[in-house]
Amino acid sequence: MHRQTPTLPRAFLAALAIVVAIGLGGCAAFSGSVLRETRGTLNETAAQTNAEQMLRNIVRLRYGDTPYFLEVGSVSTSATVSAALSLSAAGTLGLDPTLGVTPAMALSQTPSFVFQPLAGEKFAKQLLRPLDLRTLALLRAAGFGLREILLVFADAINGVPNAPAATLYAPRELPDWSSFRRVADLVERLESKGWLQLGVDSSAAPPAPGSDLVLSVSVDRAAAGTVEFQEFARLLGLDAQALTYRVAAAAAGGGGRNIAVRPRSILAAMRFLSKGVTVPAADVAAGQVPVLSGATGEAFDWNRMMGGVIRIGSRDDAPVGAHVRVRAHERWFYIDARDIASKQTFALLETAYALHAGDVPPVTTILTLPIAR
């Protein structure tokens, strides 16, 4: 008597082979999608949280709090792919059964962040040390305009002050800023027309390793007779016939053929920009921030000075369409996404911070956060 080989195991093995093939192909597809999704998401999250940290520290300085920085030391993520197979059979005795196969695959990711505090003597000195000309030149090379760089990081040029009182937490004197703002506006006009160029002073000896650059400002002859350049030279006490001026970092001096720039530190620039925070009236009335009064006794409006530089708004409810926002002092503080000048200034500060304070080694790791999703 001839025995018929059962067909169920053979059909099952065939279905299993198909599922395995699909699973292997699915794993390859998953690996590409995991890399694409994870890298983009973590990149966006890191950039956003860095911006939030900077904004939070600016608000802290406005309220007299101490700024604090955490760095994301490392980011790692693990992906787990799980597969399941559901098999069903239906048929009549003596006939080939009908098999039903339902494969399923699932993906889970677990990113892990290592946070490291930036603290210690070296980091504090980096925050407090005035920017050198090399950093200012790099910021210009990065595409930021001289006007923005000078307004944020120059305390004075040739004795013309840029509101040095605004870098204090509680200034007692009204800021002197109008003449400097005019100089910065003239620099922007001359630069936009191609009449003013910032470069390395070719007449100076090559700088020693570790020393600062020697810069020069060159003015095109076409600008020599213009009203803009004549006013620029007059405000800074420059020799209008020279057209080439040596730029040096100095606390005082300048004039003639020399431009003396007194640069600010990162912390001083942050405190200066903190005057652009719109403090709620309730916090002012509660004495949470210092109030600067003029000769008539009226409170000085910092928006007069910070207009066109930065504006950090505040409100009770979460702002919609904010470039960056943080929750502090039981309110929301934010930079509007439509405020181009504020976004540009904020990006300038973040870039300068990365250039000036980014090479400080962090202290020992204090916190590792795994986040499952």
Side-chain angles (χ1 to χ4, degrees):
M1 181 177 179
H2 178 70
R3 297 182 60 187
Q4 184 177 2
T5 304
T7 57
L8 178 59
R10 185 179 303 168
F12 174 77
L13 292 175
L16 182 60
I18 294 174
V19 172
V20 170
I22 295 175
L24 292 176
C27 287
F30 268 132
S31 62
S33 63
V34 166
L35 176 61
R36 186 177 298 107
E37 178 187 352
T38 303
R39 184 168 186 166
T41 301
L42 294 182
N43 182 286
E44 184 67 26
T45 302
Q48 189 66 25
T49 54
N50 281 343
E52 291 170 357
Q53 176 176 248
M54 182 62 73
L55 179 59
R56 180 173 282 106
N57 280 326
I58 292 175
V59 174
R60 284 171 174 166
L61 288 171
R62 186 68 181 97
Y63 279 80
D65 302 328
T66 303
Y68 193 78
F69 293 90
L70 274 178
E71 182 183 69
V72 180
S74 65
V75 179
S76 61
T77 183
S78 60
T80 303
V81 178
S82 59
L85 178 64
S86 176
L87 179 65
S88 61
T92 307
L93 184 64
L95 300 176
D96 290 341
T98 301
L99 296 178
V101 180
T102 306
M105 298 187 71
L107 170 68
S108 63
Q109 298 182 59
T110 306
S112 180
F113 302 87
V114 177
F115 292 94
Q116 298 170 312
L118 292 175
E121 181 182 358
K122 185 175 182 180
F123 179 68
K125 287 181 177 179
Q126 290 286 70
L127 286 181
L128 295 172
R129 180 169 61 87
L131 268 66
D132 50 29
L133 295 183
R134 186 185 302 273
T135 302
L136 297 182
L138 287 174
L139 291 173
R140 180 63 191 91
F144 296 103
L146 284 177
R147 178 184 183 274
E148 289 78 22
I149 295 172
L150 295 176
L151 286 177
V152 177
F153 292 110
D155 215 40
I157 299 179
N158 283 12
V160 179
N162 181 23
T167 62
L168 304 174
Y169 166 62
R172 298 180 181 274
E173 298 180 358
L174 293 177
D176 185 359
W177 55 276
S178 57
S179 295
F180 191 97
R181 181 64 60 88
R182 181 58 181 166
V183 170
D185 290 341
L186 290 170
V187 167
E188 182 181 42
R189 291 187 187 181
L190 294 171
E191 188 181 30
S192 65
K193 295 179 179 180
W195 290 345
L196 186 147
Q197 299 289 334
L198 177 68
V200 179
D201 188 359
S202 58
S203 64
S211 62
D212 200 4
L213 290 177
V214 179
L215 302 179
S216 68
V217 167
S218 301
V219 179
D220 194 282
R221 291 189 178 277
T226 62
V227 175
E228 291 95 337
F229 173 68
Q230 292 296 323
E231 184 181 3
F232 171 77
R234 178 181 59 81
L235 288 172
L236 295 182
L238 299 175
D239 179 2
Q241 304 300 318
L243 299 183
T244 300
Y245 308 94
R246 185 175 184 271
V247 182
R257 294 173 178 264
N258 297 293
I259 297 177
V261 178
R262 187 170 74 212
R264 286 174 175 155
S265 65
I266 292 291
L267 188 61
M270 290 176 62
R271 199 179 291 280
F272 171 78
L273 295 177
S274 74
K275 300 303 188 291
V277 174
T278 303
V279 181
D283 291 352
V284 175
Q288 295 190 42
V289 295
V291 177
L292 177 62
S293 300
T296 60
E298 295 183 356
F300 177 73
D301 183 8
W302 288 105
N303 289 325
R304 290 173 48 199
M305 185 187 75
M306 303 306 295
V309 180
I310 195 170
R311 183 184 184 278
I312 300 172
S314 62
R315 55 189 300 165
D316 293 332
D317 56 337
V320 178
H323 172 63
V324 56
R325 64 182 187 179
V326 294
R327 181 77 174 168
H329 292 272
E330 300 181 355
R331 288 177 176 81
W332 286 96
F333 294 87
Y334 66 98
I335 293 177
D336 197 298
R338 299 165 295 182
D339 189 346
I340 304 300
S342 295
K343 290 165 60 177
Q344 181 81 348
T345 300
F346 192 75
L348 171 65
L349 177 64
E350 287 192 291
T351 305
Y353 171 79
L355 287 172
H356 198 64
D359 61 343
V360 179
V363 299
T364 306
T365 301
I366 60 167
L367 182 62
T368 302
L369 288 182
I371 302 175
R373 65 183 181 94

